[in-house]
């Protein structure tokens, strides 16, 4: 009986260690986030799935041409579905399309039967509804998120965040050339920020959305080293590194990617260590087994 134990126990440990390592890596990748309606709406379910599939494929294919697009599908009042996507900042179009395609896949999983939904990814957002929403500002589903690691001098940092983000907010709404977008960085440390609205908003609606989001950041988390507000109508984010959508001719290696490298190295060391330990255990149990077998052999 005792002979059988060595193998499964070691493998079980290895299995759990791998699961642990994998879940650790997964927690670093935060999005997608979602807000899905629960009201049944007027669609029959089969019709709805069809219309949504049509809408999502039109949106995904358009993301190779533009960072913002809105459209509707359906000819009759009771089968229309409205949708848009927004790729954040100056995201390259190839990445925009990848992101919107991912968002389309995720929103079907995250909001299977919702007639109104928005999904937020790292680099883009995707929204649809059975009610028209183009041109209206909506901050009812705003989702502020932050990296809760602190900074050495929170007061100084908060001031820098406030100064940079107020500037970007006003610039995006009133002084951006076409697309209600502004990015910038502060001389304070390596602080980068982005403020953006869906391109269908008027400047004053854009300003309202961004001001509201900025106040959310200032009241929850401007003393933390990174924060963002996801919204149906705008996007606000700052970090101490260059993040997706920020203009940078020659982006320095970001703190985040350095951290990812550290995690990868840690996982690699863990896995190699486990393999070594497993091999030693296997070797020992084989030795023990052959020893026992030898003994029994001489006895019989
Ligand atoms: C659903 O149908 C009702 C009655 O026909 C109508 O009043 C309502 O506006 C419809 N809702 C939507 C979201 O189309
Ligand atoms: C989704 O948005 C609604 C408002 O549109 C809000 O009341 C609700 O709390 C949000 N749900 C989640 C899970 O954030
Ligand atoms: C940050 O968040 C993590 C995980 O959510 C939590 O364990 C930790 O206590 C938080 N730290 C601070 C300073 O709030
Ligand atoms: C934002 O900052 C830039 C660069 O420092 C400056 O030129 C611009 O006038 C500022 N805009 C606003 C609205 O404060």
């Amino acid at each position: 009986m005792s002979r059988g134990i060595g193998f499964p126990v070691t493998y079980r440990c290895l299995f759990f260690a791998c699961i642990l390592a994998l879940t650790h890596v997964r927690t670093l990748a935060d999005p997608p986030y979602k807000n899905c309606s629960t009201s049944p709406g007027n669609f029959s379910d089969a019709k709805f799935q069809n219309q949504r599939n049509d809408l999502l494929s039109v949106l995904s294919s358009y993301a190779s041409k533009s960072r913002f697009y809105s459209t509707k599908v359906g000819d009759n009042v009771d089968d229309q579905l409205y949708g848009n996507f927004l790729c954040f900042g100056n995201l390259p179009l190839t990445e925009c399309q990848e992101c919107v395609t991912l968002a389309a896949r995720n929103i079907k999983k995250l909001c299977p039967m919702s007639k109104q939904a928005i999904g937020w990814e790292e680099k883009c957002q995707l929204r649809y509804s059975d009610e028209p929403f183009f041109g209206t500002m909506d901050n009812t589903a705003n989702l502020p998120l932050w990296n809760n690691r602190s900074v050495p001098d929170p007061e100084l940092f908060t001031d820098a965040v406030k100064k940079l983000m107020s500037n970007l907010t006003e610039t995006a709404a009133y002084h951006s050339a076409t697309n209600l977008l502004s990015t910038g960085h502060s001389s304070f440390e390596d602080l980068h920020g982005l403020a953006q609205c869906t391109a269908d908003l008027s400047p004053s609606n854009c300003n309202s959305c961004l001001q509201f989001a900025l106040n959310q950041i200032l009241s929850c988390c401007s003393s933390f080293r990174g924060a963002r507000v996801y919204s149906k109508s705008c996007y606000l984010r700052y970090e101490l590194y260059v993040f997706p959508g920020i203009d940078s001719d020659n982006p320095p290696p970001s703190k985040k990617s350095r951290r990812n490298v550290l995690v990868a190295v840690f996982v690699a060391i863990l896995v190699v260590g486990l393999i070594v330990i497993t091999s030693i255990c296997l070797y020992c149990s084989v030795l023990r087994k052959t020893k026992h077998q030898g003994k029994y052999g001489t006895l019989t």
Side-chain angles (χ1 to χ4, degrees):
M1 271 294 134
S2 69
R3 199 158 54 101
I5 287 171
F7 268 66
V9 166
T10 345
Y11 275 112
R12 235 177 289 155
C13 288
L14 188 63
F15 177 72
F16 282 122
C18 283
I19 295 279
L20 271 180
L22 285 177
T23 48
H24 180 70
V25 171
R26 277 192 53 192
T27 57
L28 286 179
D30 286 335
Y33 300 98
K34 58 164 177 166
N35 188 297
C36 320
S37 73
T38 49
S39 68
N42 290 350
F43 270 104
S44 75
D45 290 348
K47 183 101 192 167
F48 170 71
Q49 295 292 356
N50 270 338
Q51 296 295 72
R52 184 171 63 176
N53 284 340
D54 282 357
L55 178 69
L56 293 179
S57 75
V58 174
L59 290 174
S60 305
S61 70
Y62 221 91
S64 63
K65 298 193 261 275
S66 171
R67 296 187 189 94
F68 172 80
Y69 188 62
S70 59
T71 191
K72 80 171 188 209
V73 296
D75 300 321
N76 310 307
V77 199
D78 62 348
D79 73 355
Q80 281 171 344
L81 207 53
Y82 303 79
N84 71 17
F85 68 80
L86 177 68
C87 287
F88 300 142
N90 294 305
L91 197 69
L93 287 172
T94 50
E95 289 183 51
C96 180
Q97 181 164 41
E98 277 168 23
C99 186
V100 173
T101 305
L102 174 70
R105 209 162 50 225
N106 283 338
I107 210 165
K108 285 200 265 188
K109 269 189 280 182
L110 297 169
C111 310
M113 291 312 297
S114 295
K115 309 302 187 294
Q116 304 181 358
I118 181 158
W120 292 289
E121 304 286 341
E122 178 77 17
K123 305 174 185 176
C124 68
Q125 64 184 52
L126 177 64
R127 178 184 180 194
Y128 67 81
S129 172
D130 57 351
E131 287 176 21
F133 63 87
F134 301 156
T136 53
M137 194 276 286
D138 186 341
N139 56 19
T140 56
N142 279 22
L143 179 65
L145 298 166
W146 59 93
N147 173 343
N148 72 1
R149 282 194 303 150
S150 53
V151 288
D153 190 341
E155 264 177 53
L156 218 62
F157 186 72
T158 299
D159 279 350
V161 167
K162 191 171 178 176
K163 206 164 137 199
L164 174 65
M165 298 315 284
S166 305
N167 179 303
L168 294 183
T169 291
E170 191 176 338
T171 307
Y174 294 115
H175 307 293
S176 63
T178 48
N179 46 8
L180 303 177
L181 164 68
S182 175
T183 64
H185 60 92
S186 154
S187 49
F188 182 86
E189 292 197 15
D190 204 13
L191 184 62
H192 296 265
L194 188 162
Q196 185 177 19
C197 296
T198 56
D200 54 340
L201 294 193
S202 68
S204 70
N205 274 345
C206 175
N207 189 51
S208 316
C209 191
L210 290 172
Q211 289 295 343
F212 187 86
L214 180 56
N215 284 331
Q216 287 184 302
I217 279 191
L218 293 178
S219 59
C220 72
C221 32
S222 56
S223 63
F224 292 113
R225 59 175 52 231
R228 72 189 83 163
V229 178
Y230 285 123
S231 164
K232 285 176 177 171
S233 302
C234 61
Y235 177 69
L236 200 58
R237 182 176 184 183
Y238 73 83
E239 301 284 355
L240 283 170
Y241 54 85
V242 174
F243 56 87
I246 289 285
D247 280 326
S248 185
D249 295 337
N250 192 9
S254 72
K255 295 213 167 96
K256 185 149 185 196
S257 71
R258 256 180 272 154
R259 197 177 62 194
N260 285 348
V261 167
L262 280 183
V263 170
V265 168
F266 172 78
V267 169
I269 290 172
L270 192 73
V271 168
V272 169
L274 279 168
I275 289 172
V276 169
I277 291 169
T278 313
S279 312
I280 291 172
C281 291
L282 282 179
Y283 182 66
C284 291
S285 77
V286 166
L287 266 191
R288 224 174 23 233
K289 204 167 72 183
T290 49
K291 246 203 253 157
H292 287 318
Q293 276 168 350
K295 219 170 178 183
Y296 288 173
T298 54
L299 277 177
T300 48

